[in-house]
């Protein structure tokens, strides 16, 4: 029997999963990755550690599955859209202001380049039309601009700049083909113009101060591109030995981790349905909202339209929230009742959110309406979309002198609801521009949170589908390997065969929907108010 390996490199760990041709998970493994934070808004990693973790996770998956390396026909990689900088002979080039040589990765969530993003947006250019009109500091060109200015020695010795998913393919195969997914979504490559460098806008690169990236036919950022799932080479002797696989195993063009989640979920229980009515929500540390359209749909503040980054011939829209699970964690951690409740949860072998869920049910039979006076503005780490304003910050309204666990439960519920309203805002803007999304396919850690699912369904009015598959992101990457191995003719056909079924959560409507409508108006008002506060303070500075 053939198997396909999916490797997912997230923010805090590398994971690997082995699947058969029906999408059944046979074995998995995980290995942690350290994040280093030398300054506020900085987040760095080491590519060498990432690769070591990938290999450890792969070996663990093989051992758990009990399969031979020879049964693995193809490998697919996905990862966060982090920046990797390489020098001569693929040596790491430091991205750290402290100069640590092995810290060669700027993590996706690093916001050191906010000023550069704003300057690029002020300059403008055609590529910005395909990222919602505004480039994000989480994308690579602002980070490269920062690197060139702030670390000129690193810039001078750098030979290649990689998105992490592409670097993994390169590390595994020695080849330099980049995926459309990474280059289009995070590097402003216009994928609809071709696969051989035609999509780079050299005038734009020159105007924003990165014209040297066009030298040598764009060798530093990608001369040859491929659709996700296309063969990109085979495992080298070294990589195969490190991973516990066989040299010559097919390796596919990669995906960004959220897009792997879209591949692993959009086909769940779809049958003959229309995939363009579905929005994949990958909800973990952050949240990504990815949907497909047959024609380009331009939505201000929403990334895309991106051509060919998920499925061939389809355009993709990508909304997102820069903090989701991370926001829930932060709101809980700052509360006085968190530490004792966390200790209680640990003693019971549970998560603190399990205890908060239970506590809410003791406060009212219908818990959704407990937050009539408690409201959260969730942009603690900026607004990725649809406002596309990374300078925004969050707020909690309706606080009292209470500081016990019941008060923490209200903060928790209001935060979950605020994330749901953020999703509603994104969907509203997509629909206003012509998209037809009415079903949300949920994956990621928060897909296991029953309260999060219920509040999102009720707040958006959309039906939610939760895959039976417990590792849909890994499955999405494994599908890439199955296509590269030649066992499926396309990613779409692999989705049909491997996505499986799922459960549904329907919106309750009625009085609950009306309650969320009112809360949503408060949510939007709080966004407007924060912008007004910022304007007032800017005027104060000007008056001095």
């Amino acid at each position: 029997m053939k198997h396909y390996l999916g490797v997912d490199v997230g923010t805090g760990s590398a994971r690997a999963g082995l699947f058969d041709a029906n999408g059944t998970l046979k074995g998995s493994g995980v290995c942690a990755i350290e994040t280093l934070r030398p300054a506020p808004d900085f987040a760095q990693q080491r590519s060498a550690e990432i690769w070591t973790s990938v290999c450890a996770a792969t070996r663990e998956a093989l051992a758990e599955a009990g399969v031979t390396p020879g049964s693995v026909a193809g490998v697919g990689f996905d990862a966060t859209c982090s920046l990797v900088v390489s020098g001569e002979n693929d040596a790491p080039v430091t991205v750290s202001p402290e100069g640590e040589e092995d810290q060669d990765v700027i993590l996706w969530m690093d916001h050191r380049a906010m000023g550069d993003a704003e300057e690029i947006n002020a300059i403008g250019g055609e590529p910005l039309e395909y990222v919602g009109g505004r480039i994000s500091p989480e994308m690579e060109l602002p980070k490269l601009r920062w690197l060139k200015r702030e670390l000129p020695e690193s810039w001078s010795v750098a030979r290649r700049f990689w998105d992490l998913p592409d670097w993994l393919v390169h590390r595994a195969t020695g080849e330099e083909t980049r995926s459309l997914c990474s280059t289009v979504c995070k590097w402003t490559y216009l994928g609809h113009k071709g696969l051989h460098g035609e999509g780079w806008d050299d005038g734009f690169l020159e105007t924003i101060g990165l014209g040297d990236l066009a030298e040598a036919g764009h060798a530093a950022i990608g001369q040859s591109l491929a659709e996700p799932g296309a063969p990109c080479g085979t495992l080298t002797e070294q990589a195969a030995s490190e991973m516990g696989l066989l040299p010559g195993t097919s390796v596919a063009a990669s995906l960004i981790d959220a897009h792997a989640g879209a591949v692993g979920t959009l086909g769940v229980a779809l049958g003959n349905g229309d995939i363009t009515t579905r929005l994949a929500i990958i909800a973990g540390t952050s949240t990504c909202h990815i949907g497909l359209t047959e024609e380009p749909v331009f939505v201000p503040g929403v990334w895309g339209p991106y051509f060919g980054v998920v499925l061939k011939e389809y355009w993709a829209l990508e909304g997102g929230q820069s903090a989701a699970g991370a926001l829930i964690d932060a709101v809980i951690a700052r509360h006085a009742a968190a530490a004792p409740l966390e200790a209680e949860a640990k003693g019971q072998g549970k998560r603190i959110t399990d205890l908060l869920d239970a506590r809410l049910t003791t406060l009212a039979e219908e818990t959704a309406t407990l937050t009539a006076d408690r409201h959260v503005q969730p942009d603690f780490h900026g607004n990725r979309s649809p406002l596309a304003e990374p300078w925004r910050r969050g707020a909690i309204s309706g606080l009292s002198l209470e500081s016990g666990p019941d008060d923490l439960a209200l903060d928790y519920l209001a935060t979950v609801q605020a994330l749901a309203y953020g999703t509603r805002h994104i969907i509203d803007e997509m629909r206003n521009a012509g998209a037809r999304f009415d079903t949300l396919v949920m994956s990621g850690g928060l897909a296991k949170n029953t309260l999060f699912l219920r509040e999102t369904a009720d707040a958006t009015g959309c039906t939610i589908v939760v895959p039976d598959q417990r590792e849909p992101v890994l499955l999405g990457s494994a599908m890439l390997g199955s296509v590269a191995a030649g066992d499926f003719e396309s990613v779409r056909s692999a989705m049909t065969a491997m996505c499986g079924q799922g459960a549904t959560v329907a919106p309750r409507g009625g009085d609950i929907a009306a309650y969320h409508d009112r809360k949503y108006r408060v949510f939007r008002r709080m966004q407007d108010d924060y912008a007004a506060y910022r304007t007032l303070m800017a005027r104060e500075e000007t008056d001095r």
Side-chain angles (χ1 to χ4, degrees), residues 476-499:
S477 283
M479 288 181 193
L480 301 180
S482 73
V483 176
D487 294 327
F488 290 101
E489 65 177 1
S490 67
V491 173
R492 183 67 185 271
S493 62
M495 290 169 65
T496 300
M498 299 174 74
C499 271

Side-chain angles (χ1 to χ4, degrees), residues 148-379:
K148 182 178 181 179
R149 182 185 64 254
E150 300 295 334
L151 297 179
E153 291 186 11
S154 291
W155 186 265
S156 68
V157 299
R159 296 294 177 266
R160 295 289 186 271
F161 303 103
W162 303 93
D163 217 70
L164 181 54
D166 290 329
W167 180 85
L168 291 168
V169 172
H170 171 68
R171 181 63 177 79
T173 66
E175 304 294 338
E176 297 210 6
T177 299
R178 316 283 181 118
S179 171
L180 272 185
C181 186
S182 299
T183 49
V184 171
C185 294
K186 304 303 174 185
W187 296 72
T188 72
Y189 186 83
L190 301 179
H192 54 286
K193 294 190 175 183
L195 297 174
H196 303 288
E198 305 94 331
W200 294 118
D201 188 327
D202 292 349
F204 174 69
L205 293 174
E206 181 68 34
T207 302
I208 66 172
L210 295 174
D212 34 356
L213 295 180
E215 294 174 0
H218 310 98
I221 55 175
Q223 298 171 310
S224 175
L225 299 98
E227 296 159 345
C232 274
T234 61
L235 290 180
T236 64
E237 292 275 356
Q238 178 184 352
S241 174
E242 293 165 340
M243 297 177 75
L245 299 173
L246 297 184
T249 303
S250 296
V251 178
S254 61
L255 284 165
I256 298 168
D257 53 354
H259 296 71
V263 168
T265 59
L266 283 175
V268 170
L270 180 61
N272 295 320
D274 185 353
I275 200 169
T276 65
T277 64
R278 291 187 154 201
L279 187 69
I281 298 184
I282 303 90
T285 303
S286 61
T287 300
C288 288
H289 307 68
I290 299 174
L292 305 179
T293 62
E294 293 179 341
E295 299 295 332
V297 175
F298 293 85
V299 186
V302 170
W303 296 343
Y306 296 142
F307 183 75
V309 302
V310 176
L311 291 180
K312 186 176 182 179
E313 304 303 329
Y314 282 89
W315 296 79
L317 291 172
E318 181 182 354
Q321 295 159 303
S322 293
L327 174 65
I328 294 172
D329 291 344
V331 169
I332 291 173
R334 68 178 60 235
H335 199 282
L341 202 62
E342 184 72 63
E344 181 181 343
K346 186 176 181 180
Q348 297 179 23
K350 297 180 178 180
R351 298 169 298 182
I352 189 172
T353 52
D354 295 330
L355 300 192
L356 292 172
D357 288 336
R359 197 153 201 108
L360 287 169
T361 63
T362 69
L363 299 179
E365 183 176 351
E366 175 50 68
T367 59
T369 56
L370 286 168
T371 54
D373 295 318
R374 185 68 55 92
H375 310 285
V376 171
Q377 208 297 98
D379 295 333

